[in-house]
Amino acid sequence: MLLSTDDELRDQLLAGGILPPQQIMAYMAEAQECDTGLESVLRKHRVLTETNLHALRAMRAAAIYCNLSDFIPRLQNSDIVDEELARRHVMFPLFVLDGVITMIMEDTNDLAAIDQVRRMTRQEVEVCAGSRSEVLGLIERAYGASQYLEEASVMDSLLEVNEDSNDGEARPVIRLVDDLVNEAVRQNASDIHIEPGEKELRIRIRVDGVLREVAAPPLGLHRPVVSRIKVLSRLDISNTRTPQDGAYQYRNGDHEVMIRISVLPSVYGEAVVMRLLRNASDAISMNELGLERRMHEAFSGLVASAHGMILVSGPTGSGKSTTLYSVLRSITSPQKNIVTIEDPVEYRTSRVRQVQVNPDADLTFAAGLRSILRQDPDVIMVGEIRDRETAQIAVQAALTGHLLLSTVHTNDAIGAVARLRDLGVPEYLISSSLLGVLAQRLCRRNCPECVAPDDPPEFLLRAVGLADQAPDFQPMRGRGCRRCIGTGYVGRCGIYELFQVTEEFSAMIVRLESAEAIRAAAREKGMKFLLHDGLEKVRHGITSIEEVARVAGRC
């Protein structure tokens, strides 16, 4: 007796332990009751992603599943197969090697389509399975670019990239931009880089803090793509000689992100960086930050203070804003008036009053903070303390009954004291107002699918202070697989150090003792530094020595 597709999928889920048996049976019953397929029910409840479902389908068909994030397809391969055929059968030629065309297809059992390609090209055809949405996106980028270049000149195209074109007949350049953003959202990227070169256009997205190149349209589409982005963010299309900044809201199904745009003139044309800013609902809680238990308890104690200043330090892109929003999320209540001033507002929430810095309107951090103090706040968050006036007002706010949260750019937690000194804040005010400083970095997490014992080279051991002694634990590292796109890492975790300003440290600050002296005293008191916290996460297999050395080592 032949099994139905639903029965085969059920058996796969049970054999792989992907879902609990009771849950699978409940979904099977719902599928029968609603007279629909098990896949449709799984999509409805969002228990498996589209990629997961297509990978399972490929396994049932004994086909190879291809994740398009594994490599950069050549859009020029669109010349091999007719557009109508590619769209009708949802397929695209990935590459040609030794006279064999490798096609990615939604349905690898579509023998008629495979034979048609074989007859048209007079070459052998091998197939691999792919997600329908990914293949259609690739088709759109490849054939849409060709169609666009054939239909209109670059100057004509500028008239076509209007903001109201959202229907299915929209010009290809509009669909190209939307597909690029969709791809970035799907891979949970933080930035999109569009960089024109002398002979080609390069597009990269930043995932887990590392830039990754993706398939780019021809160089001839650079100006139309930039023009479309400028129209969406209400920038001046005719101005190509000066930098411009803007933003627009992007919605697609369940996804809603604010995209901040930076346009910078370069030698070969305008370079664009698009920063994807999530909503406050995407912000994590303090329990999810990954703080070690004692550090979490100490930091929670600081956050519960009625007044004083708490700083988060680290370089750009180290997750400082995420940490501050996790703090706000933990203390938000109807009894507290919380106001923030930021540049930009990275997480939007209706539960907190948020102010966007606007230098053109003389709304700077200092001016905004001065006005916020007249709004009867209980908690104030300042995006960054970067100048003397902001630092002095922030300290005064912390001393007058407000809990003030902010960030500074320093290499470690204790370095924030020297930074405040450099900004002209007197030592006695620093010691009176500063409750503590949390320094942090972001390390990539080992991929759970391919993690394996690691034997790091000597220079990495030396970078994390283990040159003179072998580690008393087994380091782990991802070897690279399809899930992690060959990188060995999926997602990120934080490593931290917390400097609490006790009475002893307050006295050292007032006595103008150096950062080295304060650091030595903190070490004697048992303070855990960034490197120590990173090695603890290596010990537990969360990240690798290579990652800790990269972000906090002494290379």
Side-chain angles (χ1 to χ4, degrees):
M1 178 179 177
L2 295 176
L3 292 176
S4 69
T5 301
D6 282 0
D7 291 336
E8 291 178 344
L9 178 54
R10 176 202 62 200
D11 292 345
Q12 273 187 302
L13 297 174
L14 288 171
I18 300 172
L19 294 174
Q22 299 86 348
Q23 191 175 5
I24 297 173
M25 294 305 134
Y27 290 146
M28 283 287 291
E30 182 178 340
Q32 293 173 0
E33 182 180 344
C34 300
D35 193 24
T36 185
L38 179 57
E39 275 198 13
S40 299
V41 175
L42 295 174
R43 286 193 187 94
K44 172 185 173 183
H45 292 281
R46 299 178 183 175
V47 293
L48 291 178
T49 66
E50 195 74 19
T51 299
N52 297 146
L53 291 170
H54 278 86
L56 291 170
R57 188 185 304 168
M59 291 174 62
R60 295 198 300 273
I64 298 173
Y65 180 76
C66 176
N67 188 335
L68 281 176
S69 300
D70 289 350
F71 54 91
I72 306 169
R74 293 183 72 253
L75 300 187
Q76 292 83 349
N77 288 346
S78 58
D79 296 336
I80 298 173
V81 176
D82 179 74
E83 178 183 358
E84 189 276 332
L85 181 65
R87 290 186 183 276
R88 176 154 45 91
H89 295 283
V90 192
M91 62 184 186
F92 188 82
L94 290 179
F95 52 84
V96 181
L97 184 63
D98 295 333
V100 178
I101 302 173
T102 299
M103 301 284 298
I104 184 170
M105 305 179 65
E106 178 192 19
D107 182 7
T108 56
N109 292 322
D110 191 347
L111 301 180
I114 297 171
D115 287 339
Q116 191 168 351
V117 174
R118 188 179 288 120
R119 289 196 304 269
M120 289 173 55
T121 61
R122 297 182 180 180
Q123 298 186 73
E124 286 300 313
V125 177
E126 291 183 352
V127 298
C128 58
S131 161
R132 177 181 179 85
S133 59
E134 287 188 350
V135 178
L136 286 176
L138 180 57
I139 289 172
E140 195 60 62
R141 274 180 281 172
Y143 295 101
S146 301
Q147 176 188 350
Y148 191 84
L149 289 173
E150 291 172 2
E151 287 181 356
S153 67
V154 170
M155 293 308 294
D156 291 338
S157 71
L158 300 184
L159 303 176
E160 300 289 345
V161 288
N162 60 80
E163 189 175 10
D164 300 323
S165 298
N166 292 317
D167 55 60
E169 300 302 319
R171 300 293 292 174
V173 69
I174 299 174
R175 298 197 297 269
L176 283 171
V177 174
D178 289 345
D179 178 64
L180 177 60
V181 176
N182 282 335
E183 178 73 8
V185 171
R186 186 183 68 81
Q187 295 196 36
N188 199 29
S190 60
D191 300 89
I192 303 172
H193 292 243
I194 301 174
E195 305 160 343
E198 182 179 5
K199 297 181 180 179
E200 63 180 4
L201 179 64
R202 183 166 69 162
I203 296 180
R204 298 185 291 172
I205 61 176
R206 189 179 295 279
V207 180
D208 293 337
V210 178
L211 285 172
R212 179 184 303 164
E213 196 162 349
V214 299
L219 182 59
L221 277 179
H222 168 247
R223 286 181 61 190
V225 166
V226 173
S227 296
R228 169 62 179 168
I229 293 170
K230 283 184 173 181
V231 168
L232 289 171
S233 49
R234 304 185 185 280
L235 299 179
D236 185 357
I237 294 179
S238 63
N239 182 3
T240 61
R241 296 185 177 184
T242 58
Q244 298 188 67
D245 296 310
Y248 73 95
Q249 193 81 13
Y250 171 79
R251 293 183 182 88
N252 183 12
D254 297 330
H255 298 295
E256 180 175 343
V257 295
M258 174 63 70
I259 301 180
R260 189 181 72 195
I261 306 297
S262 173
V263 182
L264 181 69
S266 66
V267 173
Y268 297 111
E270 292 177 292
V272 179
V273 174
M274 308 170 70
R275 168 66 60 90
L276 280 62
L277 308 174
R278 266 67 177 187
N279 291 328
S281 58
D282 296 321
I284 62 177
S285 67
M286 280 183 62
N287 292 329
E288 297 172 297
L289 288 175
L291 291 166
E292 179 265 335
R293 182 181 59 83
R294 286 182 298 176
M295 194 182 301
H296 181 274
E297 292 173 355
F299 189 57
S300 298
L302 296 180
V303 169
S305 303
H307 57 84
M309 181 164 61
I310 301 173
L311 300 178
V312 180
S313 74
T316 301
S318 60
K320 299 187 298 296
S321 295
T322 299
T323 297
L324 287 181
Y325 267 95
S326 73
V327 172
L328 293 183
R329 189 174 182 177
S330 70
I331 63 177
T332 298
S333 71
Q335 290 76 37
K336 290 185 178 179
N337 179 20
I338 303 176
V339 188
T340 75
I341 179 165
E342 307 167 68
D343 184 24
V345 176
E346 296 202 22
Y347 293 94
R348 303 203 169 208
T349 173
S350 58
R351 298 181 298 170
V352 175
R353 280 189 291 165
Q354 298 170 283
V355 179
Q356 169 71 54
V357 166
N358 184 1
D360 293 338
D362 292 328
L363 180 55
T364 61
F365 278 119
L369 182 54
R370 194 179 291 109
S371 297
I372 287 172
L373 289 172
R374 295 193 287 269
Q375 291 280 312
D376 186 31
D378 296 296
V379 180
I380 304 170
M381 188 185 95
V382 180
E384 181 186 351
I385 294 178
R386 62 174 67 155
D387 58 67
R388 180 185 297 264
E389 187 178 9
T390 303
Q392 292 175 342
I393 299 173
V395 168
Q396 291 297 332
L399 290 171
T400 53
H402 308 91
L403 180 62
L404 188 130
L405 310 170
S406 190
T407 69
V408 290
H409 287 284
T410 58
N411 291 329
D412 56 19
I414 295 173
V417 174
R419 177 64 177 152
L420 291 175
R421 285 174 177 165
D422 293 341
L423 291 173
V425 180
E427 285 73 13
Y428 71 92
L429 291 181
I430 297 175
S431 65
S432 302
S433 61
L434 188 60
L435 297 176
V437 185
L438 183 74
Q440 67 180 70
R441 300 288 189 278
L442 290 178
C443 290
R444 291 181 291 175
R445 288 179 176 269
N446 287 329
C447 173
E449 297 290 335
C450 61
V451 65
D454 186 28
D455 185 19
E458 183 182 348
F459 78 92
L460 287 180
L461 294 174
R462 186 167 56 251
V464 297
L466 296 176
D468 299 329
Q469 57 180 357
D472 59 351
F473 56 88
Q474 175 60 64
M476 306 293 284
R477 191 199 188 286
R479 294 304 179 197
C481 65
R482 288 193 170 184
R483 176 174 178 181
C484 60
I485 319 177
T487 63
Y489 302 101
V490 174
R492 289 191 285 180
C493 65
I495 61 174
Y496 304 91
E497 67 180 32
L498 177 63
F499 173 54
Q500 294 178 267
V501 183
T502 62
E503 290 185 5
E504 178 183 347
F505 292 128
S506 292
M508 294 181 73
I509 293 171
V510 172
R511 292 197 301 266
L512 299 179
E513 296 202 30
S514 66
E516 289 73 17
I518 297 175
R519 191 173 293 109
R523 186 178 291 108
E524 290 181 3
K525 294 292 184 181
M527 176 178 165
K528 179 179 288 187
F529 295 94
L530 284 170
L531 201 54
H532 302 146
D533 192 43
L535 288 176
E536 276 299 304
K537 288 182 169 60
V538 173
R539 181 187 296 274
H540 290 94
I542 298 172
T543 187
S544 68
I545 283 184
E546 177 185 17
E547 273 298 286
V548 174
R550 181 178 69 88
V551 303
R554 300 189 290 262
C555 291

